[in-house]
Amino acid sequence: MPSEYRIKKIVEIGDTLHRSGCAPYKLEKYAQFYAQKHGVDVMIQATPTSVNYQFPDDNNAVVMKRHKPASINLSLLANTIIRINQPTSEPVPEPTGYPKWIVALANMGIPPAYLMLVGSTLEAVGYAALLGFLVWLCQLVCKARRSIAVEFLSALITGIFVAFVASSGAQIPVWALCIAAIILFVPGLSIANALECLAFNDLVSGTSLLGQSALTLIKLFVGIVIGLNIGEAYGVSFPPLYMSIKCQLGSIYSTYLSSRFQLACCLTLVLPTYCLACLWPF
């Protein structure tokens, strides 16, 4: 196997490990293990933003790569580790994506699940599902270069919405609802990787990952605080209108929703769903 080809495959494995969010010290071990299986001696120095390779047996060839801070991609990481243990000439397969409606349902299901886990009211659980949908819309808007602002924008909109709902008289846990809406952005695995690097004396990578996680938490906290203040400032004049609309809707509901009407509503919802379920495999 030509030297350039071996170097290219080792560098490709290292870059894919970095892109999947692997801890830097683990990246070094995995890449060196892959190189040893191909009979190549390599020295690797990895940080959260760069990976350097040196090949002593190939005229001390040096490859220096600069990377952006990686996000956690467990599916890509698993595929890469499988490819390291079972090396082939094919590239590492990229993880398959999901349809947008499945991602939307996942975002709408995470906040209610968190609230039910910590304990809350049914009214707050319903608002949490709506907040999950708003957070998903923020993810659609903040892509590519705008992705750096997705945490702050989501926290800001969450704070405004929760403050408006709270000012309307709804009995909801304000901070628990805000945390449930943005729990998806809490960098738990990044903090775990940072502490793991510090535990194995990789101080440079550990402090860098810990600093990135701290900045993400600051964006979330500042966005929620600003959103709550904006919602409280502009939501004070809306509660009377909101309460009157709520009372009118409640009276309409109690007057017209008789038992026959409830049966008709159930049939209207159940029959199309049953037909769709029957026709779905075809």
Side-chain angles (χ1 to χ4, degrees), residues 109-124:
I110 291 174
Y114 175 81
L115 282 183
M116 289 187 288
L117 182 65
V118 301
S120 185
T121 62
L122 291 177
E123 189 175 8

Side-chain angles (χ1 to χ4, degrees), residues 77-97:
L77 178 61
N79 292 339
T80 309
I81 294 175
I82 292 173
R83 182 53 49 85
I84 291 173
N85 294 321
Q86 302 173 0
T88 61
S89 58
E90 299 179 357
V92 178
E94 293 290 334
T96 57

